[in-house]
Amino acid sequence: MSFFKKLKEKFTATTDQASEKFKEGLTKTRDSFASKVNNLVARYRKVDEDFFEELEEILIGADVGFNTVMELIDELKMEVKRRNIQDTRDVQAVISEKLVDIYRNDEEIDATLSMNNELTVILFVGVNGVGKTTTIGKLAHKFNSEGKKVLLAAGDTFRAGAIEQLEVWGERVGVDVVKQTAGSDPAAVMFDAVQAAKSRNVDVLLCDTAGRLQNKVNLMKELEKVKKVIEREIPGAPHEVLLVLDATTGQNALVQAKMFKEVTDVSGIVLTKLDGTAKGGIVLAIKNELGIPVKFVGLGEKMDDLQEFDAEKYVYGLFADIIEKEEE
């Protein structure tokens, strides 16, 4: 059974809401990437070097990343030779397999969210404008709807309106916000938030931070101070440091990820606005070139459009039109 047929059985035979979210959210990327792959397959009768060269261009155009593309093409060539694949149509399913393998083959990379049995502290980092506060609000809604007691910490005390924006989200999802006045020491806010979380028996504490990039040294010192305060009060915390990136910025998101990886221990990526770009391959570039898993993706504006990343659902979203037409 081909990989496409397996995905069809898994996702089209059930009413899996998450897979539908990926299908809808990746429409722009699918219309661009999958249609180009379809056209390529239609134009070539055999799998040769010219076919791979054009496929390489398509993958780079989808922001999969140069290094990742080179590795992927090499693996595809080996697999095509091993299976003695002659028909270009059969290559599509192999591509989808390899895209999933990028995530599955690294056992050291955990794409699931680390949750503590008592109080889980999640620190959010990222530049201004990427959707950090919205992500915190949507995750607060997710945890709240799961029956967990959630608290927010307004640690971005520098950006005008950041505290108020987080408060709006807190009211919207029914979650309290610990704050101080604008310009306050972020570490002091985190101390208050941790104490409040302990005294109120909170399950999840979501912490916002400033997104200034002008001075890498200051950013590093600020994040180190915040993390030190949290760790001093709760050994082993923060349990996650999630870097929020805007998928529509393409390779610039990769640059931001590299910078933040230098200044703090990023444990996972939240890739927002994936529905707003035709270059959804950036998901693969981030994980493969930086070794950081994408843990959540933004697939729309609705409250439940922030979804846990799943490699199979991602590939289903990329190739949904082909998969659903797959013959039994």
Side-chain angles (χ1 to χ4, degrees):
M1 183 186 290
S2 79
F3 190 68
F4 277 165
K5 283 185 178 178
K6 288 178 183 177
L7 290 182
K8 182 177 181 179
E9 284 190 0
K10 188 168 186 177
F11 296 126
T12 60
T14 62
T15 53
D16 183 2
Q17 289 185 334
S19 62
E20 284 302 306
K21 291 282 186 188
F22 274 85
K23 180 184 172 183
E24 291 169 18
L26 286 165
T27 298
K28 286 187 177 180
T29 297
R30 182 170 64 253
D31 288 348
S32 173
F33 173 69
S35 64
K36 286 176 182 175
V37 173
N38 276 342
N39 291 336
L40 178 66
V41 167
R43 285 189 291 107
Y44 282 84
R45 290 187 177 180
K46 62 177 182 176
V47 185
D48 58 17
E49 197 60 36
D50 289 339
F51 174 85
F52 281 117
E53 279 188 19
E54 285 201 41
L55 177 59
E56 186 180 302
E57 289 178 14
I58 292 170
L59 289 165
I60 289 173
D63 262 350
V64 173
F66 182 78
N67 293 334
T68 307
V69 170
M70 293 301 102
E71 291 175 25
L72 188 58
I73 293 293
D74 285 345
E75 288 182 18
L76 283 172
K77 286 179 178 178
M78 288 173 61
E79 198 65 18
V80 164
K81 189 175 182 180
R82 187 180 72 82
R83 298 189 194 180
N84 194 27
I85 293 173
Q86 304 294 327
D87 193 333
T88 54
R89 287 174 298 181
D90 294 331
V91 178
Q92 286 177 310
V94 181
I95 293 169
S96 67
E97 281 184 67
K98 292 301 175 185
L99 294 180
V100 172
D101 285 347
I102 287 176
Y103 265 78
R104 281 187 174 163
N105 287 351
D106 194 341
E107 294 178 358
E108 295 180 6
I109 299 294
D110 187 2
T112 58
L113 203 62
S114 297
M115 300 295 290
N116 197 31
N117 290 330
E118 296 177 1
L119 171 59
T120 298
V121 182
I122 303 176
L123 194 66
F124 292 83
V125 298
V127 302
N128 296 332
V130 294
K132 189 152 45 81
T133 310
T134 300
T135 295
I136 293 170
K138 287 182 177 180
L139 271 181
H141 167 72
K142 169 183 160 58
F143 290 130
N144 203 24
S145 63
E146 291 171 356
K148 294 182 174 66
K149 192 171 182 180
V150 185
L151 188 64
L152 308 182
D156 186 354
T157 60
F158 298 99
R159 180 172 65 86
I163 298 170
E164 291 78 8
Q165 189 183 355
L166 196 65
E167 283 185 299
V168 168
W169 270 104
E171 289 175 13
R172 190 174 173 187
V173 301
V175 171
D176 290 339
V177 178
V178 175
K179 63 171 184 174
Q180 289 189 16
T181 57
S184 300
D185 181 1
V189 177
M190 294 305 165
F191 177 82
D192 288 350
V194 169
Q195 300 310 313
K198 285 180 175 179
S199 64
R200 300 180 199 180
N201 293 318
V202 164
D203 298 305
V204 185
L205 174 61
L206 305 178
C207 307
D208 194 9
T209 61
R212 300 170 302 165
L213 279 181
Q214 288 86 343
N215 190 317
K216 193 186 289 187
V217 175
N218 285 352
L219 177 68
M220 181 161 56
K221 286 180 179 177
E222 190 175 289
L223 289 175
E224 280 180 356
K225 187 177 177 184
V226 164
K227 286 180 70 179
K228 194 174 289 184
V229 166
I230 294 171
E231 191 172 16
R232 186 184 67 212
E233 300 303 314
I234 305 172
H239 305 96
E240 290 276 4
V241 178
L242 298 182
L243 171 60
V244 184
L245 298 172
D246 181 346
T248 64
T249 62
Q251 289 298 304
N252 190 42
L254 201 60
V255 173
Q256 288 175 27
K258 288 176 181 176
M259 203 228 82
F260 272 96
K261 190 181 180 185
E262 287 176 13
V263 301
T264 191
D265 297 321
V266 177
S267 60
I269 302 288
V270 180
L271 197 60
T272 65
K273 309 173 192 176
L274 193 59
D275 58 307
T277 180
K279 298 187 175 185
I282 193 68
V283 172
L284 301 163
I286 288 168
K287 186 270 171 188
N288 202 45
E289 297 188 23
L290 296 177
I292 306 173
V294 174
K295 299 207 172 187
F296 289 91
V297 288
L299 299 169
E301 298 298 323
K302 295 175 186 173
M303 197 80 79
D304 61 348
D305 284 341
L306 185 70
Q307 291 285 321
E308 292 181 39
F309 181 76
D310 180 285
E312 283 191 348
K313 288 171 186 171
Y314 169 75
V315 168
Y316 170 70
L318 285 181
F319 295 99
D321 299 336
I322 306 168
I323 291 169
E324 289 168 7
K325 290 176 183 175
E326 182 77 10
E327 295 180 4
E328 295 295 340

